Amino acid sequence: MKNDVAIALIGAGSALTGAVIGGTAAVVAASKTARSAYLGSLDSIRRTAQREVYAELLRAAHTYEAGTGAVLESAGFLLDGLLSEQEGLPRRPSSSERSAFRRAISSAANPEPVAAAARQVELEGPSRVAAAARSVRAAAQQLSTTLNSIEDADEGIRPATSADLPREHFELLKSAISTFAETARKHLNHR
């Protein structure tokens, strides 16, 4: 009988140990599952927020690109007129045409919406996407400075810029936008 009691006590102890180990494993597994579900939903919310600010930068950059692209020809006319004047030739566009060109350039060359959207991307990150957003912002600012220098030169404030510079800076903007879009896409599709 003593053997039966010893066997029963050993069996009960083994069952209790097994229950404790099994219960602990179940609690740990449930905790990991809950943590994974919680972090998964946080990751989803974060990616949604990132996607929204990335899209806003792309909208602002494409709007700026379209606006500045539309005035490149006007900028060329102003530059041609300035170069003609520097060579002692009469200006081709009339004063009213030059004034209309300057107004169009001035209204198109405002990079602030791009800069504001880029700052939002910098907040959301990650660093490689933020760096690409800074490049878009810098390219937009550079194009704005170039276009505004034409307007200033036409008013006699500064010397004229190179005739090719507006187009070069426009192409740099397009390249920066493309790089940003690719970098953002890779980040959002990475798991």
Side-chain angles (χ1 to χ4, degrees):
M1 183 126 145
K2 285 186 175 184
N3 285 339
D4 290 340
V5 172
I7 291 173
L9 286 176
I10 291 173
S14 296
L16 183 59
T17 303
V20 168
I21 291 173
T24 302
V27 168
V28 168
S31 174
K32 284 184 180 180
T33 301
R35 178 177 166 81
S36 177
Y38 175 71
L39 292 178
S41 66
L42 282 181
D43 186 50
S44 176
I45 291 168
R46 180 173 180 88
R47 283 191 184 272
T48 299
Q50 287 174 332
R51 184 178 312 277
E52 288 173 5
V53 296
Y54 297 173
E56 180 57 35
L57 175 55
L58 287 173
R59 275 190 293 278
H62 285 299
T63 299
Y64 185 73
E65 175 189 358
T68 54
V71 298
L72 283 178
E73 188 174 347
S74 297
F77 286 140
L78 285 177
L79 284 170
D80 287 344
L82 288 169
L83 293 174
S84 294
E85 187 176 59
Q86 287 175 353
E87 294 174 5
L89 302 171
R91 282 193 172 192
R92 282 179 274 163
S94 69
S95 177
S96 63
E97 288 174 319
R98 287 194 313 270
S99 180
F101 292 158
R102 285 194 307 269
R103 278 192 308 275
I105 289 169
S106 180
S107 68
N110 177 15
E112 187 50 39
V114 175
R119 286 189 292 273
Q120 289 297 315
V121 170
E122 289 179 55
L123 286 174
E124 288 294 330
S127 59
R128 67 184 180 280
V129 178
R134 280 190 295 276
S135 294
V136 171
R137 183 179 65 205
Q141 183 60 49
Q142 184 178 41
L143 180 57
S144 172
T145 301
T146 300
L147 290 173
N148 285 322
S149 72
I150 296 168
E151 180 182 352
D152 293 343
D154 192 50
E155 295 174 353
I157 296 173
R158 286 189 259 183
T161 185
S162 160
D164 295 331
L165 206 53
R167 176 74 54 195
E168 289 173 13
H169 289 175
F170 181 74
E171 292 302 323
L172 288 173
L173 173 67
K174 287 173 51 175
S175 176
I177 293 169
S178 178
T179 299
F180 171 76
E182 180 66 19
T183 303
R185 183 191 63 75
K186 283 180 181 176
H187 169 68
L188 289 173
N189 291 331
H190 177 70
R191 279 272 196 209

